Amino acid sequence: LSAGLVDEPIDVAAVERRVAAWRCGAVLLFLGTVRDRHQGRPVRLLTYTAYRPMALKTLKRITDELEAATQSLRVEIVHRLGDVPVGEASVLIAVASPHRQAAYEASREALERLKREVPIWKREHYDDGEVAWREEEPLGFVSRPF
Amino acid sequence: MKVVVVAFATASDVLGQDGVEVNLPEGSRVRDLGRALVERHPKLQPMWGRLAVAVDGELVGGGHPLEDGVEVALLPPVSGGSGA
């Protein structure tokens, strides 16, 4: 279906309407939300930034490949950017499928790939006022020019 | 030739959030750009080994030849999604 980057709260109902289809008996919505702590340290806010054109292209590649791999599967991924307060969703993965098993598998794979392949970064704002980038998964091809 | 370098996360703390233009000799490759950037911004040196590099949105290696006008992105390890 599609992939998107939004700067406001994710409209879950609109995405649900887009993925649903009469031939699909399963619609699976996964929301990744901002947790109130990182390794025990209280967090009040995350700021997400993206290399937008590449992030969009990569998200689209993930949804296209998941749909191509399984018949009748419909996938949409939406990632929110900017400041996301604790408790709100930073990512939505919506999958519709004739049967639930394929939907669970595709949803999991979409999130795993997103975390490894899409150029998006989060910055944590702690309760004590400190701020730090989180850098977790090296993108596939590391340059190492020296 | 001239390329535009954009940087993200910790790399943007060193290079700034807006793109920087870099002049390079004809025939330069990604690794030559790396050397030029580290000379100008020594703080990039320790992080360079962790960066992925994309040219016009596609990941490339250090030997990738650069052309005039391309956009080169410095991409630290990513952290999209949520903590879930």
Side-chain angles (χ1 to χ4, degrees):
Chain A
L1 273 173
S2 69
L5 298 169
V6 298
D7 299 290
E8 64 278 345
I10 297 170
D11 187 344
V12 179
V15 178
E16 182 188 342
R17 280 195 299 276
R18 279 200 294 274
V19 295
W22 284 14
R23 67 175 182 280
C24 292
V27 173
L28 183 61
L29 303 174
F30 171 86
L31 286 173
T33 56
V34 173
R35 201 169 30 217
D36 68 349
R37 59 200 61 233
H38 171 59
Q39 293 174 348
R41 193 170 175 189
V43 167
R44 61 182 180 82
L45 184 80
L46 294 184
T47 306
Y48 287 89
T49 60
Y51 182 24
R52 277 177 184 259
M54 185 175 169
L56 257 185
K57 191 165 67 172
T58 312
L59 285 170
K60 182 75 180 127
R61 185 182 299 159
I62 293 170
T63 61
D64 284 352
E65 288 177 5
L66 287 169
E67 289 180 348
T70 306
Q71 213 180 4
S72 299
L73 198 75
R74 297 161 63 79
V75 185
E76 179 161 338
I77 304 175
V78 179
H79 204 296
R80 182 173 169 187
L81 301 177
D83 291 344
V84 185
V86 165
E88 295 191 17
S90 52
V91 63
L92 166 63
I93 294 168
V95 183
S97 162
H99 302 287
R100 67 184 179 283
Q101 190 60 32
Y104 283 125
E105 284 168 13
S107 175
R108 178 187 296 269
E109 190 178 339
L111 185 66
E112 301 302 328
R113 289 192 59 181
L114 186 159
K115 283 171 163 290
R116 286 195 309 265
E117 298 176 26
V118 182
I120 296 177
W121 298 266
K122 64 183 159 213
R123 197 165 166 76
E124 286 178 328
H125 300 254
Y126 302 106
D127 271 5
D128 58 16
E130 238 185 88
V131 176
W133 289 109
R134 285 272 300 281
E135 295 179 353
E136 294 167 348
E137 296 281 341
L139 279 174
F141 198 148
V142 174
S143 170
R144 303 194 198 290
F146 297 125
Chain B
M1 72 171 128
K2 213 183 274 183
V3 302
V4 176
V5 179
V6 293
F8 297 88
T10 49
S12 75
D13 290 345
V14 177
L15 250 72
Q17 303 219 331
D18 305 319
V20 294
E21 275 191 354
V22 180
N23 278 302
L24 294 167
E26 292 305 314
S28 292
R29 295 168 187 269
V30 166
R31 67 171 68 93
D32 303 315
L33 171 65
R35 289 193 192 100
L37 285 171
V38 167
E39 213 163 281
R40 222 191 276 183
H41 305 277
K43 284 182 178 165
L44 271 183
Q45 171 82 68
M47 70 176 68
W48 186 265
R50 301 191 309 127
L51 296 178
V53 174
V55 172
D56 286 342
E58 292 295 336
L59 295 175
V60 297
H64 185 83
L66 295 170
E67 285 166 38
D68 186 57
V70 294
E71 180 168 291
V72 182
L74 308 186
L75 309 170
V78 297
S79 55
S82 67

